[in-house]
Amino acid sequence: MAEPSEQTASRTPAFIIFGLVAVVFIFAFINSKSSGLSFYPLDQFNVKPILGKGPVGTFTITNVTLWMALTVAGIALLLVMGTRGRALVPTRMQSVAEMAYGFIYKMVEDVTGKDGLRYFPYIMTLFMFIVFSNFLGLLPLSFTTTSHIAVTAVMAVAVFLAVTILGFVLNGAGFLSLFWISSAPLALRPILALIEVISYFVRPVSHSIRLAGNMMAGHAVIKVFAAFSAIAVISPLSIAAITAIYALEVLVCFIQAYVFTILTCVYLKDALHPHH
Amino acid sequence: MATETEQAHSTAAAGRGLPDNSADAPGMPQLDFSTFANQIFWLVVTLVVIYLVLSKIALPRIASVLAERQGTITNDIAAAEELKQQAADAEAAYEKALADARVEAGRIADEAKAEMQAEVDSAMIKADAEIAAQTAESASRIDEIRAGAADAVKVVARDTAKEVVAALGIDIDDKAVEAAVASQVKG
């Protein structure tokens, strides 16, 4: 009997938070624009220096620096400060940290096997970075580092290169058997090998664009709806739409981090066990 | 429509005095290659820092906490198993003690019963003997009394006979009277 009422009780604040976030979005939007119906859904992705104005050099401290630093701070807060007590019966924060650890540990173990656990810290690094960047990007007025193809491409290419080099180091030329599908009829094998090679090299592209595209699209759509809220008649609908999209984005933020991580595990499995 | 928004964009941009690079690149900021070096540099720094924090501090710590908890749980389960075994043993011992006590109690009860039976039997025998003795004594006394009574009857009969004879004025020898009375009484 108590359970349904509890559920609705916990759902109501969530909706209030979503609503507030939507309102903040709109105010931020209205304040930043002078007046009228204007669309700048992509302005939020601009990389700009924090201190003063000027060209963006390699070592310039930009909003990218700020939000990546906040990502590091968030991860440190959760995984280092949260586990400071080393409690046998965990606190809430420690519980979340342990869940994140267990989630990725189990994923690596399930997908790549026991010998893949050596690479668990690297995969955990990727997952924590992406998931924190994604969620920090959901804050109003924030900057989403993972919405940039430069960022996701570096990670995807790093995974691609690491997996390829690892595959050849561990298996030698045997790694090429990944492309030679011995279970297929002999006549088909060269054709399949060609397809396999192409799909292998497309991996980093899809791997990086999937994450950046999802992040960018969601944020841009929220901005577009926010722009419509300048029209008084449409604004309630606009706010409702922002709320809905925002809820969806919360889901997408986690799922995309999950997908990036599990694909990394799958690619790693190919390097460890290339034989089909 | 497209030209309208573009126009609005440019006028608004002029009004706000946007930074040059965003005005120069009307397309996606994601494809503005001039910012790539900056992003890549900070990304690599960030990933290295996260990796160091995780591999040096966070992950070993969480792993040790999880291992410690697993160990504690295993130990607790083992301890609980042991305690359960102890409880079972204690219960068995209790049951055994109870059964022993029952047997002992039965034995004591039987013993007491037998003892009492023996006591009762001996008392009965004693009482029977006493009763028999008393009965015999009583019988002898009754016989005595009876004999006494018979003698008394003889005496009374003799005396009475003498008196009757004397009263009738018959002079007869006492011995004859006695003999006559004795023969009558006997008969």
Side-chain angles (χ1 to χ4, degrees), chain A residues 240-253:
Chain A
I242 290 171
T243 310
I245 298 277
Y246 195 92
L248 183 70
E249 279 304 293
V250 170
L251 206 66
V252 167
C253 278

PDB file of all heavy atoms in Angstrom, chain A residues 240-253:
ATOM      1  N   ALA A 240       6.686  22.128 -21.930  1.00  0.00           N
ATOM      2  CA  ALA A 240       6.371  20.698 -21.781  1.00  0.00           C
ATOM      3  C   ALA A 240       7.301  19.872 -22.663  1.00  0.00           C
ATOM      4  O   ALA A 240       7.837  18.840 -22.230  1.00  0.00           O
ATOM      5  CB  ALA A 240       4.918  20.443 -22.161  1.00  0.00           C
ATOM      6  N   ALA A 241       7.529  20.365 -23.888  1.00  0.00           N
ATOM      7  CA  ALA A 241       8.399  19.624 -24.804  1.00  0.00           C
ATOM      8  C   ALA A 241       9.825  19.588 -24.271  1.00  0.00           C
ATOM      9  O   ALA A 241      10.498  18.555 -24.317  1.00  0.00           O
ATOM     10  CB  ALA A 241       8.357  20.280 -26.186  1.00  0.00           C
ATOM     11  N   ILE A 242      10.287  20.731 -23.732  1.00  0.00           N
ATOM     12  CA  ILE A 242      11.652  20.761 -23.174  1.00  0.00           C
ATOM     13  C   ILE A 242      11.765  19.768 -22.031  1.00  0.00           C
ATOM     14  O   ILE A 242      12.744  19.018 -21.919  1.00  0.00           O
ATOM     15  CB  ILE A 242      11.999  22.186 -22.694  1.00  0.00           C
ATOM     16  CG1 ILE A 242      12.167  23.104 -23.891  1.00  0.00           C
ATOM     17  CG2 ILE A 242      13.276  22.163 -21.865  1.00  0.00           C
ATOM     18  CD1 ILE A 242      12.297  24.547 -23.514  1.00  0.00           C
ATOM     19  N   THR A 243      10.729  19.756 -21.183  1.00  0.00           N
ATOM     20  CA  THR A 243      10.740  18.817 -20.052  1.00  0.00           C
ATOM     21  C   THR A 243      10.853  17.382 -20.537  1.00  0.00           C
ATOM     22  O   THR A 243      11.650  16.594 -20.026  1.00  0.00           O
ATOM     23  CB  THR A 243       9.462  18.994 -19.228  1.00  0.00           C
ATOM     24  OG1 THR A 243       9.291  20.365 -18.941  1.00  0.00           O
ATOM     25  CG2 THR A 243       9.529  18.209 -17.941  1.00  0.00           C
ATOM     26  N   ALA A 244      10.050  17.069 -21.556  1.00  0.00           N
ATOM     27  CA  ALA A 244      10.050  15.698 -22.078  1.00  0.00           C
ATOM     28  C   ALA A 244      11.404  15.361 -22.682  1.00  0.00           C
ATOM     29  O   ALA A 244      11.986  14.304 -22.411  1.00  0.00           O
ATOM     30  CB  ALA A 244       8.948  15.547 -23.122  1.00  0.00           C
ATOM     31  N   ILE A 245      11.928  16.273 -23.507  1.00  0.00           N
ATOM     32  CA  ILE A 245      13.214  16.019 -24.168  1.00  0.00           C
ATOM     33  C   ILE A 245      14.315  15.905 -23.114  1.00  0.00           C
ATOM     34  O   ILE A 245      15.232  15.080 -23.223  1.00  0.00           O
ATOM     35  CB  ILE A 245      13.554  17.170 -25.148  1.00  0.00           C
ATOM     36  CG1 ILE A 245      12.495  17.267 -26.240  1.00  0.00           C
ATOM     37  CG2 ILE A 245      14.933  16.974 -25.748  1.00  0.00           C
ATOM     38  CD1 ILE A 245      12.666  16.349 -27.389  1.00  0.00           C
ATOM     39  N   TYR A 246      14.195  16.746 -22.082  1.00  0.00           N
ATOM     40  CA  TYR A 246      15.221  16.716 -21.034  1.00  0.00           C
ATOM     41  C   TYR A 246      15.229  15.350 -20.358  1.00  0.00           C
ATOM     42  O   TYR A 246      16.296  14.772 -20.110  1.00  0.00           O
ATOM     43  CB  TYR A 246      14.945  17.815 -20.004  1.00  0.00           C
ATOM     44  CG  TYR A 246      16.118  18.093 -19.104  1.00  0.00           C
ATOM     45  CD1 TYR A 246      17.041  19.065 -19.430  1.00  0.00           C
ATOM     46  CD2 TYR A 246      16.312  17.366 -17.938  1.00  0.00           C
ATOM     47  CE1 TYR A 246      18.131  19.325 -18.638  1.00  0.00           C
ATOM     48  CE2 TYR A 246      17.403  17.608 -17.132  1.00  0.00           C
ATOM     49  CZ  TYR A 246      18.315  18.592 -17.481  1.00  0.00           C
ATOM     50  OH  TYR A 246      19.383  18.824 -16.682  1.00  0.00           O
ATOM     51  N   ALA A 247      14.020  14.840 -20.070  1.00  0.00           N
ATOM     52  CA  ALA A 247      13.928  13.510 -19.452  1.00  0.00           C
ATOM     53  C   ALA A 247      14.567  12.464 -20.358  1.00  0.00           C
ATOM     54  O   ALA A 247      15.317  11.590 -19.906  1.00  0.00           O
ATOM     55  CB  ALA A 247      12.472  13.161 -19.188  1.00  0.00           C
ATOM     56  N   LEU A 248      14.279  12.592 -21.648  1.00  0.00           N
ATOM     57  CA  LEU A 248      14.862  11.666 -22.617  1.00  0.00           C
ATOM     58  C   LEU A 248      16.393  11.796 -22.619  1.00  0.00           C
ATOM     59  O   LEU A 248      17.117  10.800 -22.671  1.00  0.00           O
ATOM     60  CB  LEU A 248      14.307  11.974 -24.003  1.00  0.00           C
ATOM     61  CG  LEU A 248      14.768  11.041 -25.119  1.00  0.00           C
ATOM     62  CD1 LEU A 248      14.156   9.679 -24.948  1.00  0.00           C
ATOM     63  CD2 LEU A 248      14.413  11.610 -26.476  1.00  0.00           C
ATOM     64  N   GLU A 249      16.852  13.040 -22.536  1.00  0.00           N
ATOM     65  CA  GLU A 249      18.296  13.288 -22.557  1.00  0.00           C
ATOM     66  C   GLU A 249      18.998  12.656 -21.359  1.00  0.00           C
ATOM     67  O   GLU A 249      20.126  12.187 -21.461  1.00  0.00           O
ATOM     68  CB  GLU A 249      18.574  14.795 -22.581  1.00  0.00           C
ATOM     69  CG  GLU A 249      18.445  15.393 -23.966  1.00  0.00           C
ATOM     70  CD  GLU A 249      19.333  14.694 -24.973  1.00  0.00           C
ATOM     71  OE1 GLU A 249      20.555  14.801 -24.863  1.00  0.00           O
ATOM     72  OE2 GLU A 249      18.799  14.004 -25.861  1.00  0.00           O
ATOM     73  N   VAL A 250      18.328  12.678 -20.204  1.00  0.00           N
ATOM     74  CA  VAL A 250      18.908  12.048 -19.016  1.00  0.00           C
ATOM     75  C   VAL A 250      19.171  10.581 -19.308  1.00  0.00           C
ATOM     76  O   VAL A 250      20.229  10.029 -19.000  1.00  0.00           O
ATOM     77  CB  VAL A 250      17.954  12.197 -17.806  1.00  0.00           C
ATOM     78  CG1 VAL A 250      18.433  11.336 -16.654  1.00  0.00           C
ATOM     79  CG2 VAL A 250      17.875  13.643 -17.370  1.00  0.00           C
ATOM     80  N   LEU A 251      18.196   9.969 -19.982  1.00  0.00           N
ATOM     81  CA  LEU A 251      18.336   8.564 -20.358  1.00  0.00           C
ATOM     82  C   LEU A 251      19.471   8.396 -21.372  1.00  0.00           C
ATOM     83  O   LEU A 251      20.341   7.530 -21.232  1.00  0.00           O
ATOM     84  CB  LEU A 251      17.007   8.110 -20.966  1.00  0.00           C
ATOM     85  CG  LEU A 251      16.673   6.646 -20.872  1.00  0.00           C
ATOM     86  CD1 LEU A 251      16.461   6.270 -19.425  1.00  0.00           C
ATOM     87  CD2 LEU A 251      15.410   6.366 -21.679  1.00  0.00           C
ATOM     88  N   VAL A 252      19.466   9.273 -22.395  1.00  0.00           N
ATOM     89  CA  VAL A 252      20.442   9.170 -23.489  1.00  0.00           C
ATOM     90  C   VAL A 252      21.857   9.353 -22.942  1.00  0.00           C
ATOM     91  O   VAL A 252      22.789   8.654 -23.353  1.00  0.00           O
ATOM     92  CB  VAL A 252      20.118  10.215 -24.576  1.00  0.00           C
ATOM     93  CG1 VAL A 252      21.272  10.361 -25.545  1.00  0.00           C
ATOM     94  CG2 VAL A 252      18.856   9.806 -25.323  1.00  0.00           C
ATOM     95  N   CYS A 253      22.024  10.268 -21.987  1.00  0.00           N
ATOM     96  CA  CYS A 253      23.347  10.534 -21.427  1.00  0.00           C
ATOM     97  C   CYS A 253      23.949   9.265 -20.854  1.00  0.00           C
ATOM     98  O   CYS A 253      25.122   8.970 -21.076  1.00  0.00           O
ATOM     99  CB  CYS A 253      23.253  11.569 -20.308  1.00  0.00           C
ATOM    100  SG  CYS A 253      23.194  13.225 -20.939  1.00  0.00           S
TER     101      CYS A 253
END
